[in-house]
Amino acid sequence: MSKEIDLQLSELAEGAIQEKLDGELQKVFSNIHDPNTPAGVKRTVTIKLDFKPDDNRQVIAVSSDFTTKLAPVEGVSTTVLTGRDLTTGKVEAHELKSSVPGQTYIDTVDGQVKTDTGVPVDVIEKEEAKKQQIIDLQQKRG
């Protein structure tokens, strides 16, 4: 006994529709495993098949279209400190790494004491020391 309508989705267009579906499913499962998306949000793949018959209604062109709806990537917020460098006059902006502007903190990754924008304090101290070199007036006298 044969089927009256024998169209297998996996075999249509020499398997191209199934291949496209597989690609969309890959996107869905990658999105599900992305830790930056909410786990409980539904994902959707919609397959649309259009049938366009000729004038004799015997030959039908079938086209497919896929629409995939994924979970959105969750946003992330941070705090940025901005101001003008008094020596250069240039505007600067840096992410606040400590919880309070002007407060130093210990970086949990490398254990270094850092400024509120994540610059190691010892680097700042070395730069400041270079700027404040002591001038030995006795040496120039001589």
Side-chain angles (χ1 to χ4, degrees):
M1 182 168 148
S2 67
K3 293 171 110 182
E4 292 178 8
I5 299 176
D6 186 20
L7 298 174
Q8 299 298 315
L9 186 63
S10 62
E11 296 174 9
L12 285 177
E14 298 179 1
I17 293 175
Q18 182 68 50
E19 187 176 309
K20 178 69 174 164
L21 175 60
D22 292 347
E24 296 305 304
L25 291 174
Q26 182 65 45
K27 291 177 191 176
V28 167
F29 290 109
S30 291
N31 183 259
I32 288 170
H33 287 278
D34 183 345
N36 295 311
T37 62
V41 173
K42 287 194 300 187
R43 282 76 167 171
T44 307
V45 176
T46 303
I47 303 170
K48 179 181 172 186
L49 299 176
D50 289 321
F51 300 85
K52 181 161 178 24
D54 68 355
D55 291 338
N56 295 328
R57 300 172 191 247
Q58 293 178 343
V59 177
I60 295 106
V62 180
S63 62
S64 65
D65 188 31
F66 290 78
T67 306
T68 302
K69 183 179 179 205
L70 303 174
V73 174
E74 295 177 326
V76 180
S77 62
T78 190
T79 303
V80 175
L81 300 176
T82 185
R84 190 174 298 276
D85 184 319
L86 298 177
T87 57
T88 65
K90 294 183 179 180
V91 174
E92 294 182 346
H94 302 281
E95 181 179 16
L96 176 65
K97 302 286 186 171
S98 68
S99 57
V100 178
Q103 180 181 35
T104 59
Y105 72 101
I106 298 174
D107 191 331
T108 58
V109 176
D110 60 15
Q112 287 188 321
V113 177
K114 295 187 177 180
T115 67
D116 56 0
T117 58
V119 178
V121 170
D122 62 343
V123 171
I124 300 291
E125 289 173 349
K126 287 176 186 174
E127 288 178 6
E128 290 297 319
K130 287 179 185 176
K131 290 179 186 176
Q132 299 176 358
Q133 291 181 351
I134 298 173
I135 300 172
D136 186 355
L137 297 177
Q138 297 297 326
Q139 183 182 10
K140 293 197 177 214
R141 225 177 187 189

